[in-house]
Amino acid sequence: MSKLYIVPTPIGNLNDMTTRAIEALKESNLILAEDTRHTQNLLNVFEIKTKLISYHKFNEKKRSEEIIEEILINDKIVSIVTDAGTPCISDPGYEIVKLARENNIEVIGLAGACATTIALSVSGINTDRFSFYGFLPRKDKELEEALEEVKQNLIKTYVIYESPKRIKNLLNCINKVMPNAQLCVCKELTKLHERITYGTVSEVKEIIENDENAERGEYAIIGFNNDFVEKDESGFKVSLEALIFDKIYSKQYSLKDAVKEIVEEKNASKNDAYKASLNVKEFFESNVFSN
């Protein structure tokens, strides 16, 4: 009977490979792997002889269509794995699972290693509810915008993945956007050189900046947002024009500087602030001429 197995693989320690995962891979007619060379080493350890083909973010859509057709026509059993952890969690897999569901193919998920759940369990941070963000944008401006969204989320515990080359920059940005955040930064989970750093964002940032091995190994970051400010839902709103007037008179700003600060404070988009400034300008000009 055709089916698709979602098979987690160890994120470091090979002893985390489950008996059921090994059996599923041996039962399969085909294994889809993010990096076939990496996965072949794993298969060799457990004496798994199943055929292996590549399945990664660059061929995911096309290959999914091909594999689903193969499953349907030839009644195949297929497994999907990633380099480490659970497929579909910041890794390829979504496309083929979606197509399998749409074609009434049985999809079976196996329990196993996942950096998110491991990091949450050892974090010492409230895990009643959490938001998962995976990898955030690389560019500083987009990264800060993404962290602003994290900051405004009602769910204060968050999970972020990061690469070793960008961990320091991420911590700098978190420190800028959420300076009161509590963090548990997990590196090389389940591996020989596993390291977990817990504390305020400034404390964690200092430790990692002074770690000569910081740029080695993958990171899972669990954070708690202590900078969340609940929005006023009373319905009372101050117009942008009023905000501009206030900055001009209370801070002696020019119209241009008042608009700039409103945008920087994220009280309005550039477009909306500009439109409001035209109304203010018109008001000033009409009052000058009326006098």
Side-chain angles (χ1 to χ4, degrees):
M1 182 179 177
S2 62
K3 63 185 74 171
L4 174 66
Y5 283 116
I6 313 302
V7 183
T9 54
I11 61 175
N13 194 319
L14 288 179
N15 290 325
D16 291 334
M17 189 72 171
T18 68
T19 301
R20 191 177 178 215
I22 295 169
E23 290 173 350
L25 295 177
K26 286 183 175 180
E27 178 191 353
S28 298
N29 304 114
L30 184 66
I31 298 172
L32 309 181
E34 193 174 7
D35 183 333
T36 55
R37 293 167 300 179
H38 178 89
T39 300
Q40 188 61 63
N41 292 331
L42 179 71
L43 300 188
N44 291 341
V45 170
F46 296 101
E47 299 181 346
I48 299 168
K49 308 296 184 182
T50 307
K51 181 181 177 182
L52 195 64
I53 65 169
S54 66
Y55 182 90
H56 46 70
K57 65 180 180 179
F58 301 108
N59 70 358
E60 183 176 6
K61 192 169 183 62
K62 182 175 183 295
R63 183 134 288 177
S64 295
E65 295 169 354
E66 295 170 352
I67 298 303
I68 291 299
E69 185 177 0
E70 178 75 9
I71 292 174
L72 291 171
I73 293 174
N74 297 310
D75 200 29
K76 297 282 188 179
I77 297 175
V78 175
S79 285
I80 177 171
V81 300
T82 59
D83 289 348
T86 302
C88 304
I89 310 300
S90 280
D91 274 321
Y94 159 74
E95 292 287 352
I96 195 165
V97 172
K98 180 174 181 290
L99 282 177
R101 290 293 181 198
E102 290 172 351
N103 286 277
N104 297 314
I105 295 169
E106 185 179 13
V107 180
I108 301 172
L110 276 61
C114 177
T116 296
T117 53
I118 297 171
L120 283 165
S121 70
V122 302
S123 69
I125 289 173
N126 190 307
T127 58
D128 289 346
R129 295 195 302 166
F130 63 89
S131 295
F132 176 78
Y133 293 92
F135 290 94
L136 297 181
R138 297 186 180 193
K139 295 182 179 179
D140 285 354
K141 182 179 179 182
E142 294 173 0
L143 175 57
E144 287 184 21
E145 289 174 353
L147 288 171
E148 282 289 348
E149 291 183 13
V150 175
K151 179 180 176 181
Q152 295 305 320
N153 194 334
L154 287 168
I155 299 173
K156 296 182 181 180
T157 299
Y158 52 88
V159 183
I160 298 171
Y161 286 168
E162 191 53 283
S163 73
K165 296 295 183 183
R166 299 196 298 271
I167 184 63
K168 292 180 181 179
N169 186 55
L170 173 64
L171 292 175
N172 283 332
C173 287
I174 292 176
N175 190 49
K176 180 177 180 180
V177 176
M178 291 176 280
N180 298 300
Q182 191 78 11
L183 299 181
C184 181
V185 176
C186 305
K187 171 188 173 184
E188 298 278 73
L189 283 169
T190 78
K191 297 180 181 179
L192 181 63
H193 299 292
E194 173 180 300
R195 183 169 185 181
I196 296 173
T197 309
Y198 175 87
T200 64
V201 60
S202 58
E203 291 170 341
V204 171
K205 177 173 168 287
E206 182 178 1
I207 291 169
I208 290 180
E209 282 178 347
N210 293 314
D211 180 4
E212 60 182 18
N213 295 313
E215 294 189 356
R216 296 177 184 174
E218 297 296 318
Y219 286 86
I221 298 96
I222 310 298
F224 189 83
N225 172 20
N226 288 306
D227 295 277
F228 174 81
V229 178
E230 192 165 353
K231 293 181 180 179
D232 182 8
E233 302 294 342
S234 64
F236 176 77
K237 294 182 179 178
V238 178
S239 70
L240 291 178
E241 288 83 359
L243 287 175
I244 293 172
F245 273 117
D246 179 67
K247 291 184 182 297
I248 290 173
Y249 285 105
S250 65
K251 295 187 176 182
Q252 298 298 302
Y253 278 179
S254 66
L255 180 59
K256 181 179 179 181
D257 288 339
V259 169
K260 181 182 178 183
E261 187 167 282
I262 285 172
V263 173
E264 289 176 348
E265 292 174 344
K266 300 191 181 300
N267 287 316
S269 65
K270 287 183 179 180
N271 189 45
D272 289 342
Y274 174 71
K275 289 178 181 178
S277 73
L278 295 179
N279 294 333
V280 173
K281 183 178 180 181
E282 183 180 350
F283 173 82
F284 280 135
E285 290 176 345
S286 62
N287 275 275
V288 167
F289 288 124
S290 64
N291 291 331

